[in-house]
Amino acid sequence: MFRTGMVAIIGRPNVGKSTLLNRFVGQKISITSRKAQTTRHRILGIATTATAQFVFVDTPGFQTRHKSLLHKSMHRAIRDAVAGVSCVLFVVEAGRFGPEDQAVLQLLPGDTPVILVINKSDALDDKRSLLPFLQARAGEHAWAALVPVSAKTGSQIDDLTGEIEKLLPVAPALFDANDLTDRSERFLVSEMIREKVFRQLGDELPYGMTVVIDRFVEEPSLADGRFCRIAATIIVERSGHKAMLIGANGGKLKLIGSEARVDIERLLQARCHLELWVKVKSGWADSAALVKSFGYD
Ligand SMILES: Nc1nc2c(ncn2[C@@H]2O[C@H](COP(=O)(O)OP(=O)(O)OP(=O)(O)O)[C@@H](O)[C@H]2O)c(=O)[nH]1
Ligand SMILES: [Mg+2]
């Protein structure tokens, strides 16, 4: 009685959707940061047990503030993710339910079971406040279940997985048991670099930043194991952003490169040489051709 199904993870920005996906998969597939709107693409994370295969779909955080073409592409990614799945996880933050969460509530499908995931329960000052929060949410939708978790510590993740498994149809696995994602190594590498830029520049860098891989070659290595030579360009909208990214004497860019390399080497199980460039392309987030050429569709 093996079960297999797709599970969409949705919610407003920054509630911990990608952290949750990585927790399910057991490896960093989707990038995370304190900054809202870190995830831009629909990305699959696959977890296979003896009894089930869960195909999780991470999505960009739904928000209504920005309206660029890039954001339209992100909204489409959310709508597509919710269509045709076995179950939806609506992620909120323990103790917080605002207008942006309300907006996601309106998007919930009527014909698909939805589990309300109350994340960041570890961060609650007063654990007793969880019960009234749960009670307030209970009447807002016909939830299949309400589960408080911590994606960060892993607390109650097994309970959540159990609730999800009940909702999956009996079906053979869609992916190989060892597969963790549908995305290419090239894509994941560009994301690891984007994460380090997000983390290093925090709120200083506006959303108009993206990363393009120019070269990704695996070279025969003398020692055991793989060796990859990677060159990537970080694209920003203004020359001021370029200066910020490079930093005094190139220090910032070096730091981004060395942090990214650690993650990339872990991901690829390889030694890597990583070369980073920065280029300015004004207004790309509103240019249909450029948005598409950078991999957003
Ligand atoms: N304390 C605590 N922090 C968490 C937890 N889960 C995620 N975070 C933090 O919350 C921040 C946002 O996490 P993400 O996983 O990037 O959130 P997201 O919902 O994917 O965000 P977007 O992709 O921007 O929509 C990061 O700083 C995480 O470390 C949790 O269970 N507890
Ligand atoms: Mg995310």
Side-chain angles (χ1 to χ4, degrees):
M1 290 293 267
F2 195 84
R3 293 175 184 275
T4 298
M6 305 266 290
V7 181
I9 307 177
I10 67 168
R12 73 164 162 79
N14 214 38
V15 290
K17 298 178 295 300
S18 302
T19 308
L20 185 63
L21 177 103
N22 293 338
R23 171 64 66 181
F24 285 132
V25 172
Q27 194 178 309
K28 186 150 112 193
I29 295 298
S30 194
I31 64 170
T32 67
S33 86
R34 273 189 298 123
K35 213 162 128 71
Q37 303 251 275
T38 302
T39 304
R40 288 194 184 151
H41 305 79
R42 178 178 178 276
I43 170 165
L44 298 190
I46 304 157
T48 309
T49 67
T51 54
Q53 182 166 79
F54 305 81
V55 183
F56 294 100
V57 191
D58 191 14
T59 65
F62 184 82
Q63 55 81 42
T64 46
R65 252 176 298 168
H66 305 274
K67 291 201 165 62
S68 68
L69 259 178
L70 172 64
H71 285 96
K72 285 210 181 100
S73 137
M74 287 161 66
H75 283 182
R76 200 158 48 236
I78 303 171
R79 271 201 315 273
D80 291 353
V82 173
V85 296
S86 304
C87 158
V88 172
L89 304 183
F90 174 22
V91 185
V92 299
E93 214 174 294
R96 279 186 60 185
F97 195 88
E100 283 189 306
D101 301 290
Q102 199 73 45
V104 182
L105 189 63
Q106 308 305 319
L107 293 178
L108 295 180
D111 49 359
T112 309
V114 182
I115 297 178
L116 184 69
V117 179
I118 299 110
N119 190 33
K120 306 198 187 183
S121 58
D122 61 286
L124 270 183
D125 291 333
D126 180 4
K127 304 285 176 221
R128 284 170 306 178
S129 65
L130 194 56
L131 188 61
F133 183 80
L134 280 168
Q135 283 165 339
R137 304 284 79 76
E140 284 168 338
H141 187 88
W143 310 112
L146 297 90
V147 190
V149 300
S150 168
K152 191 176 170 182
T153 68
S155 159
Q156 300 221 70
I157 294 295
D158 290 345
D159 295 343
L160 178 55
T161 316
E163 292 294 343
I164 299 168
E165 189 164 340
K166 288 188 223 161
L167 300 169
L168 302 186
V170 172
L174 287 168
F175 293 90
D176 191 276
N178 297 319
D179 286 350
L180 300 180
T181 182
D182 64 326
R183 291 290 188 163
S184 65
E185 287 186 335
R186 202 182 168 101
F187 170 83
L188 295 173
V189 165
S190 73
E191 288 286 278
M192 298 296 154
I193 298 167
R194 202 163 63 79
E195 177 186 88
K196 300 313 170 200
V197 177
F198 260 62
R199 291 188 174 192
Q200 277 301 324
L201 294 201
D203 295 328
E204 298 157 56
L205 191 80
Y207 300 118
M209 179 274 295
T210 197
V211 175
V212 174
I213 303 292
D214 305 312
R215 200 156 54 103
F216 185 139
V217 283
E218 189 161 345
E219 289 181 0
S221 88
L222 296 176
D224 284 343
R226 305 172 69 186
F227 179 80
C228 298
R229 203 173 278 281
I230 300 168
T233 303
I234 303 169
I235 295 176
V236 293
E237 299 219 274
R238 290 193 199 94
S239 53
H241 299 157
K242 177 172 174 175
M244 219 156 67
L245 247 177
I246 293 175
N249 298 320
K252 200 72 162 181
L253 194 62
K254 272 204 198 99
L255 193 61
I256 290 167
S258 60
E259 287 196 345
R261 193 164 57 87
V262 172
D263 274 16
I264 293 167
E265 290 192 332
R266 187 179 307 140
L267 176 84
L268 302 178
Q269 302 275 298
R271 280 192 313 116
C272 293
H273 179 269
L274 176 64
E275 195 177 295
L276 292 181
W277 300 88
V278 185
K279 245 188 223 158
V280 183
K281 272 199 182 133
S282 305
W284 74 265
D286 261 314
S287 149
L290 286 177
V291 165
K292 204 173 163 62
S293 78
F294 294 155
Y296 305 96
D297 41 30

